Amino acid sequence: MCGVVGIMGTPEASREAFLALTTLQHRGQDAAGILTYDAEGFHKVRNLGLVENVFNRDNMATLTGNIAIAHNRYSTAGRGTIDEVQPFLISYPFGISLACNGNIVNSNELARELKAGSRRHLLTHSDTEILLNLLAEALEKSVPASSTALADEATLPDTLTFDQICQAVTTICKRVNGSYSVVSTIADHGLIAFRDPYGIRPLVYGKKLMRREGEKETALATGEAHMVASEGVALDFCGYELVRNLEPGELLYIDAAGKVHTRVLDQRQARHCMFEWIYFASPESVIDQTPVYGTRLQLGKNLSNIVKRELSAKGFHADLVVPIPETSRIAAITLAEELGVPNREVLIKNRYIKRTFILDSQDKRQKAVNLKLSPVKSEITGKNILLVDDSIVRGTTSKKIIELVRRAGAERVFIVSTCPPIRKPCFYGIDFPSEQELVAHGRTTQEIETELGADAVIYQDLAGLENAIHEAQNIATQGKSKKFKPCMACLDGKYPTDVTESGKKFGASRSAERKLKSIEAADKKSLDYGP
Ligand code: SF4
């Protein structure tokens, strides 16, 4: 999971890219990069670390130009080295930069084809480099040879038409199996953005009028600046008005004159990732016309009947609903309201520790939990505590928190997950690829209770999750938008794309890469969060 941003039409492009990346920091904390373009050429700053650590006044001053793309990295594929920090850049043809949020399932196969068929030698293990090479190859093929041969500097902006770009991106949609939300620039042409045919990862488009008193003149004749981003929160923060999300399989192209072209190239049944609403996206974002905050409220409501049923079957009752910060707070509000039980934030978070789930090794996750939460003992002692978590993935965090609450004097500890049991790997960019790492894989609920040390473990069901997303979408659009079937493959095994053969290879290579990353990370003092 990563965050991407594309901006065009403002002299403040790099500054806005920095602000947008900051608002999307929750989508990836491993690395960040911004790339701009102007008459002097491409300019880029990329490094490992948080946005605030990668960029400073001096290196930001080098990022000149009216067009920028930017990326926050959460490494799930590749080796997590500085060479793999996005955006990527290729000189031929035209000069293309690209950043992607997603994961390519058939990356091994495509890498082989690029090498054997096109003599393109890849320099990294990143699947984004594969996408960039595929785009470069397809753009080269889409432009007739004579027009490339005859082009000189004066005619370059006219050498690539929207139809030719469409042709190139259609090739990508046909060849690439996986999830991809992409932003890219083509030198002297403009900004392009596209989404895979299932729309697994989010991408939104917005614009703003630039010619206001006291503000610098816009770079485009239309007087508008444009932004594409993983989430609407980035648009809001930089003053852009959300126009709409990109459709699955849609290409958006803003040309050098500021004209916006769009076309749906290859659309299958939408399968947006349910985990965006459960955990990843910022609560103020609206993903595919479905508010994240509203969905989380509904998730809490939908859980209440299940909780009542499960607790009464065991002869238990809850005295307090306690959200595990931060994501589950919203669902805990409605769950507590429906249950008629007080909602108390008695697990206090140390805000300076990174999000536990994103930390890239089991050992670091275990150490991080100890540092991250402190219980308010006076409120917990002698009570039956109903913990609310957004999801239970490996169970590492949940187990530690249950222990913590018991040590704080709780009589009984129950844990509720707003997400149904995760039993299958994700091949589309969430870092739980190995079934063996998932606490719910191959275990009954009773066995999970024993594993976690909880008096009860209660999960949302599939219908409750799907209903929560649809209810929030319905309320936001007053029933006017088309319902979609979210991807829930890690819950029900129904993958939107074929993951049989390439998926197995992908999973195996991902495990090997993660092991390598853990070894490399252990050597880096700066990444040691443990006590
Ligand atoms: S498999 Fe799960 S985490 Fe992966 S895209 Fe589908 S719903 Fe999201």
Side-chain angles (χ1 to χ4, degrees):
M1 190 67 72
C2 301
V4 293
V5 180
I7 296 169
M8 183 166 170
T10 166
E12 301 282 311
S14 62
R15 192 183 71 86
E16 289 186 355
F18 169 82
L19 294 174
L21 284 186
T22 306
T23 65
L24 297 176
Q25 186 75 84
H26 57 280
R27 298 188 67 85
Q29 305 171 345
D30 292 337
I34 299 176
L35 182 145
T36 62
Y37 179 75
D38 63 11
E40 303 297 315
F42 286 100
H43 314 281
K44 64 181 173 188
V45 174
R46 308 178 306 168
N47 213 336
L48 300 173
L50 297 174
V51 175
E52 64 179 14
N53 299 327
V54 170
F55 303 100
N56 55 51
R57 202 174 287 273
D58 291 341
N59 62 26
M60 285 297 293
T62 66
L63 294 170
T64 52
N66 303 318
I67 183 166
I69 60 168
H71 188 264
N72 269 340
R73 178 167 163 85
Y74 158 45
S75 43
T76 56
R79 292 185 172 171
T81 62
I82 194 159
D83 292 340
E84 294 178 352
V85 181
Q86 301 183 40
F88 281 8
L89 179 62
I90 200 165
S91 61
Y92 178 80
F94 305 106
I96 308 165
S97 68
L98 186 141
C100 174
N101 172 28
N103 256 311
I104 301 179
V105 175
N106 59 338
S107 57
N108 291 346
E109 185 186 318
L110 291 169
R112 272 197 306 275
E113 285 172 15
L114 281 168
K115 193 168 184 182
S118 316
R119 297 196 182 93
R120 286 178 179 267
H121 185 86
L122 299 172
L123 303 173
T124 69
H125 289 81
S126 164
D127 47 11
T128 299
E129 193 193 357
I130 294 174
L131 264 182
L132 176 59
N133 274 275
L134 288 174
L135 181 63
E137 186 180 75
L139 281 173
E140 187 191 355
K141 284 183 184 159
S142 73
V143 181
S146 59
S147 107
T148 312
L150 292 173
D152 58 26
E153 212 160 294
T155 60
L156 264 177
D158 301 323
T159 56
L160 207 48
T161 65
F162 180 53
D163 282 341
Q164 287 163 337
I165 297 171
C166 287
Q167 203 180 317
V169 177
T170 302
T171 310
I172 289 185
C173 293
K174 286 205 170 79
R175 290 181 73 183
V176 179
N177 170 357
S179 63
Y180 44 94
S181 283
V182 171
V183 291
S184 170
T185 61
I186 305 174
D188 301 317
H189 287 77
L191 178 73
I192 68 172
F194 56 92
R195 224 175 151 188
D196 69 72
Y198 296 93
I200 298 172
R201 296 279 152 244
L203 202 59
V204 293
Y205 163 62
K207 62 182 182 179
K208 68 177 171 184
L209 257 183
M210 290 292 292
R211 282 187 179 144
R212 272 179 279 157
E213 212 175 321
E215 202 159 1
K216 287 184 190 173
E217 186 94 338
T218 178
L220 298 174
T222 53
E224 289 174 332
H226 308 264
M227 182 187 280
V228 180
S230 295
E231 292 182 36
V233 61
L235 268 59
D236 290 345
F237 199 72
C238 297
Y240 287 78
E241 195 181 323
L242 174 71
V243 176
R244 62 181 175 85
N245 54 273
L246 264 74
E247 292 296 315
E250 183 178 12
L251 166 71
L252 176 133
Y253 171 47
I254 299 150
D255 68 23
K259 189 173 175 207
V260 181
H261 311 254
T262 65
R263 191 176 296 170
V264 175
L265 303 174
D266 183 354
Q267 190 174 72
R268 326 275 165 86
Q269 191 193 27
R271 298 295 303 276
H272 314 308
C273 169
M274 62 85 197
F275 215 56
E276 292 284 347
W277 290 281
I278 290 277
Y279 175 80
F280 253 104
S282 195
E284 63 269 54
S285 285
V286 176
I287 307 275
D288 291 296
Q289 298 179 299
T290 308
V292 176
Y293 194 95
T295 304
R296 290 180 187 166
L297 283 177
Q298 194 63 41
L299 283 167
K301 268 190 192 174
N302 292 357
L303 261 170
S304 63
N305 283 337
I306 305 173
V307 170
K308 281 179 199 161
R309 189 183 66 219
E310 295 294 317
L311 287 187
S312 88
K314 287 178 182 259
F316 295 152
H317 73 277
D319 297 316
L320 287 186
V321 167
V322 175
I324 296 175
E326 307 260 339
T327 319
S328 65
R329 277 180 171 151
I330 303 159
I333 296 169
T334 41
L335 176 61
E337 281 169 5
E338 297 288 320
L339 294 176
V341 170
N343 179 22
R344 294 284 182 271
E345 302 226 10
V346 291
L347 291 173
I348 309 302
K349 188 179 174 190
N350 182 329
R351 68 185 70 174
Y352 301 105
I353 307 292
K354 291 208 312 182
R355 273 183 123 174
T356 326
F357 178 70
I358 287 183
L359 292 178
D360 63 359
S361 78
Q362 187 83 348
D363 184 46
K364 272 191 272 170
R365 265 189 293 273
Q366 277 174 348
K367 286 174 181 170
V369 172
N370 285 336
L371 292 174
K372 200 171 157 184
L373 293 173
S374 307
V376 181
K377 288 185 186 167
S378 56
E379 294 296 319
I380 291 175
T381 303
K383 301 216 173 81
N384 292 341
I385 302 295
L386 185 72
L387 294 169
V388 185
D389 210 349
D390 51 82
S391 56
I392 304 173
V393 183
R394 296 165 178 88
T396 321
T397 313
S398 313
K399 194 172 177 171
K400 286 273 175 190
I401 292 170
I402 290 163
E403 269 172 40
L404 195 75
V405 174
R406 280 204 197 283
R407 281 207 307 273
E411 184 70 22
R412 291 193 185 278
V413 186
F414 319 120
I415 186 161
V416 172
S417 166
T418 70
C419 182
I422 298 170
R423 295 201 159 99
K424 297 281 174 188
C426 173
F427 299 114
Y428 306 120
I430 305 286
D431 191 20
F432 38 85
S434 152
E435 291 185 344
Q436 285 66 37
E437 290 176 63
L438 303 169
V439 71
H441 178 71
R443 286 192 177 97
T444 62
T445 305
Q446 206 176 357
E447 287 166 340
I448 300 168
E449 286 168 355
T450 307
E451 176 63 26
L452 300 185
D455 294 295
V457 175
I458 303 169
Y459 286 102
Q460 181 79 263
D461 57 24
L462 292 173
L465 166 59
E466 206 170 334
N467 168 276
I469 293 171
H470 289 156
E471 272 301 302
Q473 182 194 23
N474 249 334
I475 293 166
T477 63
Q478 295 165 339
K480 287 183 189 140
S481 64
K482 201 173 138 200
K483 275 195 184 128
F484 58 88
K485 172 97 187 144
C487 175
M488 303 199 291
C490 48
L491 314 176
D492 62 11
K494 294 175 185 164
Y495 294 93
T497 71
D498 179 10
V499 296
T500 44
E501 280 314 302
S502 15
K504 280 180 205 156
K505 278 181 251 158
F506 177 76
S509 71
R510 290 269 303 280
S511 294
E513 278 159 2
R514 277 207 319 285
K515 270 184 207 146
L516 179 67
K517 276 199 317 187
S518 298
I519 293 163
E520 287 171 349
D523 292 335
K524 287 181 196 157
K525 200 170 171 227
S526 61
L527 289 177
D528 184 9
Y529 294 90

Short mmCIF file of all heavy atoms in Angstrom, two decimals, residues 344-365:
data_model
loop_
_atom_site.label_atom_id
_atom_site.label_comp_id
_atom_site.label_asym_id
_atom_site.label_seq_id
_atom_site.Cartn_x
_atom_site.Cartn_y
_atom_site.Cartn_z
N ARG A 344 -15.12 4.08 26.44
CA ARG A 344 -14.04 4.79 27.15
C ARG A 344 -12.69 4.59 26.47
O ARG A 344 -12.29 3.45 26.21
CB ARG A 344 -13.93 4.28 28.60
CG ARG A 344 -15.14 4.59 29.46
CD ARG A 344 -15.17 6.06 29.88
NE ARG A 344 -16.31 6.31 30.74
CZ ARG A 344 -17.53 6.65 30.32
NH1 ARG A 344 -17.76 6.79 29.03
NH2 ARG A 344 -18.51 6.86 31.18
N GLU A 345 -12.00 5.69 26.22
CA GLU A 345 -10.67 5.59 25.60
C GLU A 345 -9.64 5.43 26.72
O GLU A 345 -9.00 6.39 27.14
CB GLU A 345 -10.39 6.86 24.78
CG GLU A 345 -11.45 7.07 23.72
CD GLU A 345 -10.87 7.43 22.38
OE1 GLU A 345 -9.66 7.35 22.18
OE2 GLU A 345 -11.69 7.78 21.50
N VAL A 346 -9.49 4.20 27.18
CA VAL A 346 -8.60 3.97 28.33
C VAL A 346 -7.30 3.26 27.93
O VAL A 346 -6.57 2.79 28.79
CB VAL A 346 -9.34 3.20 29.46
CG1 VAL A 346 -10.41 4.07 30.08
CG2 VAL A 346 -9.93 1.89 28.95
N LEU A 347 -7.06 3.20 26.63
CA LEU A 347 -5.74 2.78 26.15
C LEU A 347 -5.12 4.02 25.51
O LEU A 347 -5.60 4.51 24.48
CB LEU A 347 -5.85 1.65 25.12
CG LEU A 347 -6.32 0.30 25.69
CD1 LEU A 347 -6.56 -0.70 24.58
CD2 LEU A 347 -5.32 -0.26 26.70
N ILE A 348 -4.12 4.55 26.14
CA ILE A 348 -3.57 5.83 25.70
C ILE A 348 -2.36 5.57 24.81
O ILE A 348 -1.43 4.85 25.19
CB ILE A 348 -3.15 6.70 26.92
CG1 ILE A 348 -4.30 6.79 27.93
CG2 ILE A 348 -2.67 8.08 26.47
CD1 ILE A 348 -5.60 7.37 27.41
N LYS A 349 -2.42 6.20 23.66
CA LYS A 349 -1.39 5.94 22.65
C LYS A 349 -0.24 6.93 22.72
O LYS A 349 -0.45 8.14 22.85
CB LYS A 349 -2.04 6.03 21.26
CG LYS A 349 -1.11 5.57 20.17
CD LYS A 349 -1.80 5.66 18.84
CE LYS A 349 -0.79 5.33 17.76
NZ LYS A 349 -1.29 5.62 16.44
N ASN A 350 0.96 6.38 22.64
CA ASN A 350 2.13 7.24 22.46
C ASN A 350 2.19 7.60 20.99
O ASN A 350 2.45 6.76 20.14
CB ASN A 350 3.40 6.49 22.87
CG ASN A 350 4.63 7.36 22.74
OD1 ASN A 350 4.68 8.25 21.88
ND2 ASN A 350 5.60 7.12 23.58
N ARG A 351 1.93 8.86 20.68
CA ARG A 351 1.75 9.24 19.28
C ARG A 351 3.05 9.25 18.48
O ARG A 351 3.04 9.49 17.29
CB ARG A 351 1.08 10.60 19.19
CG ARG A 351 1.94 11.73 19.68
CD ARG A 351 1.19 13.03 19.68
NE ARG A 351 0.15 13.04 20.73
CZ ARG A 351 -0.57 14.11 21.01
NH1 ARG A 351 -0.42 15.21 20.33
NH2 ARG A 351 -1.47 14.07 21.98
N TYR A 352 4.17 9.00 19.11
CA TYR A 352 5.43 9.08 18.37
C TYR A 352 5.92 7.73 17.86
O TYR A 352 6.99 7.62 17.30
CB TYR A 352 6.50 9.75 19.24
CG TYR A 352 6.05 11.13 19.63
CD1 TYR A 352 5.61 11.40 20.93
CD2 TYR A 352 5.99 12.14 18.68
CE1 TYR A 352 5.14 12.65 21.27
CE2 TYR A 352 5.52 13.40 19.02
CZ TYR A 352 5.10 13.65 20.31
OH TYR A 352 4.63 14.88 20.64
N ILE A 353 5.11 6.67 18.04
CA ILE A 353 5.49 5.35 17.51
C ILE A 353 4.76 5.13 16.20
O ILE A 353 3.58 5.43 16.08
CB ILE A 353 5.10 4.24 18.51
CG1 ILE A 353 5.67 4.53 19.90
CG2 ILE A 353 5.56 2.88 17.99
CD1 ILE A 353 7.15 4.44 20.02
N LYS A 354 5.45 4.53 15.24
CA LYS A 354 4.84 4.29 13.93
C LYS A 354 3.68 3.30 14.04
O LYS A 354 3.62 2.50 14.95
CB LYS A 354 5.88 3.69 12.96
CG LYS A 354 6.94 4.65 12.58
CD LYS A 354 7.57 4.42 11.23
CE LYS A 354 8.02 3.05 10.88
NZ LYS A 354 8.65 2.96 9.56
N ARG A 355 2.78 3.31 13.04
CA ARG A 355 1.66 2.36 13.00
C ARG A 355 2.20 0.93 13.03
O ARG A 355 3.03 0.55 12.22
CB ARG A 355 0.87 2.54 11.70
CG ARG A 355 -0.19 3.59 11.81
CD ARG A 355 -0.96 3.66 10.53
NE ARG A 355 -2.38 3.45 10.78
CZ ARG A 355 -3.32 3.57 9.85
NH1 ARG A 355 -3.01 3.83 8.63
NH2 ARG A 355 -4.57 3.38 10.15
N THR A 356 1.73 0.13 13.97
CA THR A 356 2.32 -1.19 14.20
C THR A 356 2.23 -2.10 12.99
O THR A 356 3.16 -2.80 12.65
CB THR A 356 1.57 -1.91 15.35
OG1 THR A 356 1.17 -0.94 16.27
CG2 THR A 356 2.45 -2.92 15.99
N PHE A 357 1.10 -2.10 12.32
CA PHE A 357 0.88 -3.03 11.22
C PHE A 357 1.87 -2.80 10.09
O PHE A 357 2.30 -3.71 9.41
CB PHE A 357 -0.56 -2.90 10.71
CG PHE A 357 -0.84 -3.78 9.54
CD1 PHE A 357 -0.92 -5.15 9.71
CD2 PHE A 357 -0.99 -3.25 8.28
CE1 PHE A 357 -1.16 -5.96 8.63
CE2 PHE A 357 -1.24 -4.06 7.21
CZ PHE A 357 -1.33 -5.43 7.39
N ILE A 358 2.27 -1.54 9.91
CA ILE A 358 3.14 -1.20 8.80
C ILE A 358 4.60 -1.58 9.08
O ILE A 358 5.36 -1.81 8.16
CB ILE A 358 3.00 0.31 8.46
CG1 ILE A 358 1.66 0.52 7.76
CG2 ILE A 358 4.11 0.81 7.57
CD1 ILE A 358 1.41 1.93 7.31
N LEU A 359 4.96 -1.70 10.34
CA LEU A 359 6.35 -2.09 10.63
C LEU A 359 6.64 -3.42 9.96
O LEU A 359 5.82 -4.32 9.96
CB LEU A 359 6.56 -2.19 12.14
CG LEU A 359 6.49 -0.87 12.91
CD1 LEU A 359 6.65 -1.12 14.38
CD2 LEU A 359 7.55 0.08 12.43
N ASP A 360 7.86 -3.56 9.42
CA ASP A 360 8.05 -4.64 8.47
C ASP A 360 8.66 -5.93 9.01
O ASP A 360 9.08 -6.78 8.26
CB ASP A 360 8.84 -4.15 7.26
CG ASP A 360 10.23 -3.71 7.66
OD1 ASP A 360 10.54 -3.77 8.84
OD2 ASP A 360 10.99 -3.32 6.76
N SER A 361 8.72 -6.14 10.29
CA SER A 361 9.10 -7.47 10.76
C SER A 361 8.34 -7.77 12.05
O SER A 361 7.97 -6.88 12.80
CB SER A 361 10.60 -7.57 11.01
OG SER A 361 10.92 -6.96 12.23
N GLN A 362 8.09 -9.05 12.26
CA GLN A 362 7.33 -9.51 13.41
C GLN A 362 7.98 -9.03 14.71
O GLN A 362 7.31 -8.57 15.62
CB GLN A 362 7.32 -11.05 13.36
CG GLN A 362 6.44 -11.71 14.38
CD GLN A 362 4.99 -11.75 13.90
OE1 GLN A 362 4.61 -11.09 12.93
NE2 GLN A 362 4.18 -12.48 14.60
N ASP A 363 9.31 -9.13 14.78
CA ASP A 363 10.03 -8.75 15.98
C ASP A 363 9.81 -7.28 16.32
O ASP A 363 9.51 -6.91 17.45
CB ASP A 363 11.52 -9.03 15.73
CG ASP A 363 12.33 -8.75 16.98
OD1 ASP A 363 11.89 -9.18 18.05
OD2 ASP A 363 13.38 -8.09 16.88
N LYS A 364 9.88 -6.44 15.28
CA LYS A 364 9.69 -5.00 15.50
C LYS A 364 8.27 -4.71 15.93
O LYS A 364 8.02 -3.86 16.76
CB LYS A 364 10.03 -4.22 14.23
CG LYS A 364 11.50 -3.86 14.16
CD LYS A 364 11.77 -2.89 13.06
CE LYS A 364 12.02 -3.62 11.78
NZ LYS A 364 12.06 -2.72 10.65
N ARG A 365 7.29 -5.46 15.36
CA ARG A 365 5.90 -5.24 15.73
C ARG A 365 5.69 -5.55 17.21
O ARG A 365 5.05 -4.83 17.94
CB ARG A 365 4.97 -6.13 14.89
CG ARG A 365 4.41 -5.45 13.69
CD ARG A 365 3.36 -6.29 13.03
NE ARG A 365 3.91 -7.48 12.47
CZ ARG A 365 4.43 -7.56 11.25
NH1 ARG A 365 4.44 -6.50 10.48
NH2 ARG A 365 4.92 -8.67 10.79
#
